[in-house]
Amino acid sequence: MSRFDQLIEQISFGTVSAPAGPCLGLYLSPEVIYLSETHREKGGRLAVDHLVRIPIPAEGKNPGATATMNTDFLTDPLKIAEFLRQSMSQMRWNSKSVRVTLSHHLGLVRYFSMPAMEHRYLHTAVPLEAKKHIPIPFDMLAHDFQAVPLPPDAQGKARMGVLIAVTQRKNIANVQGLLKILGLKLQTLEIAPCSVLRLWQEIDPAKDG
């Protein structure tokens, strides 16, 4: 796994190796759902087999569901499953493994710097610092983060940069419930910016060095 992949995996909610064969991708948003299926060709290139756009009907939308960090959209997995089943029944899908991406309505990513410290202290110190940048009670959130060394500050003090992804804990439980209804296996769950970085990595792979 490249350094780039390691960085992204550290801010995904669950680290699972991607399946060798085809894999589904599911983008969840209160406004629209995208479902795709991809596979890798012999040369390693990622090929898209299916890409389906599923608009959320007006009667299926919650007026407050487009607020940032909401939990309303995913509270009815049966309704969302019905939207997905209608589209999935129209073509053949070759995988049960799925990577799920949450839109900016359902999660967010923040970056900040803080004093450098030993790795064993990070799991306590990072959430405390993150509270200054995320105005939501942290006991309601699931989070993952990655910390990387930074050059010393103007006073010569060691620093590190932290990239943290958060979503409501309820969202993860509801996604798991949705996939169970559909008979799908969750590979990983991440926030949309992480998926965008994966896309750019496919288009123009970052070189380790």
Side-chain angles (χ1 to χ4, degrees):
M1 182 182 290
S2 70
R3 291 183 191 175
F4 178 90
D5 291 327
Q6 290 174 5
L7 170 63
I8 298 303
E9 292 296 347
Q10 285 295 324
I11 52 175
S12 296
F13 300 100
T15 303
V16 180
S17 297
C23 184
L24 304 181
L26 178 61
Y27 172 81
L28 294 172
S29 161
E31 299 174 339
V32 65
I33 295 172
Y34 284 93
L35 180 64
S36 66
E37 184 173 64
T38 61
H39 75 276
R40 288 205 178 275
E41 298 177 335
K42 290 183 178 180
R45 178 177 175 272
L46 192 67
V48 178
D49 300 312
H50 303 302
L51 178 59
V52 179
R53 183 179 186 273
I54 308 169
I56 304 299
E59 62 272 17
K61 294 181 179 179
N62 184 311
T66 55
T68 301
M69 295 294 290
N70 81 85
T71 58
D72 296 335
F73 169 62
L74 295 173
T75 53
D76 192 349
L78 285 172
K79 181 183 291 186
I80 301 174
E82 185 58 31
F83 295 151
L84 285 163
R85 280 200 182 106
Q86 292 175 12
S87 296
M88 294 180 75
S89 65
Q90 298 175 18
M91 60 188 69
R92 179 178 176 180
W93 302 85
N94 300 306
S95 177
K96 294 290 186 181
S97 298
V98 58
R99 286 182 177 270
V100 176
T101 297
L102 300 179
S103 74
H104 67 279
H105 310 92
L106 304 171
L108 54 84
V109 175
R110 289 290 182 267
Y111 174 84
F112 53 86
S113 62
M114 58 186 293
M117 64 187 65
E118 294 181 36
H119 185 271
R120 58 179 171 163
Y121 298 121
L122 292 181
H123 287 280
T124 300
V126 168
L128 289 174
E129 183 68 23
K131 290 178 181 179
K132 302 176 184 178
H133 307 272
I134 301 173
I136 300 170
F138 233 73
D139 58 356
M140 299 172 59
L141 303 178
H143 70 276
D144 266 336
F145 66 87
Q146 174 71 321
V148 296
L150 292 178
D153 63 16
Q155 287 73 43
K157 296 180 180 179
R159 301 182 304 153
M160 62 183 184
V162 176
L163 191 63
I164 186 169
V166 300
T167 187
Q168 297 275 8
R169 293 183 186 276
K170 290 181 180 179
N171 286 339
I172 294 181
N174 288 331
V175 168
Q176 291 171 332
L178 169 64
L179 298 184
K180 184 176 181 180
I181 293 170
L182 295 170
L184 300 177
K185 179 181 179 182
L186 180 63
Q187 289 294 324
T188 191
L189 187 153
E190 62 193 24
I191 309 301
C194 300
S195 297
V196 171
L197 287 173
R198 287 189 194 276
L199 174 62
W200 282 113
Q201 172 69 354
E202 289 292 336
I203 296 173
D204 185 17
K207 295 180 175 61
D208 292 338

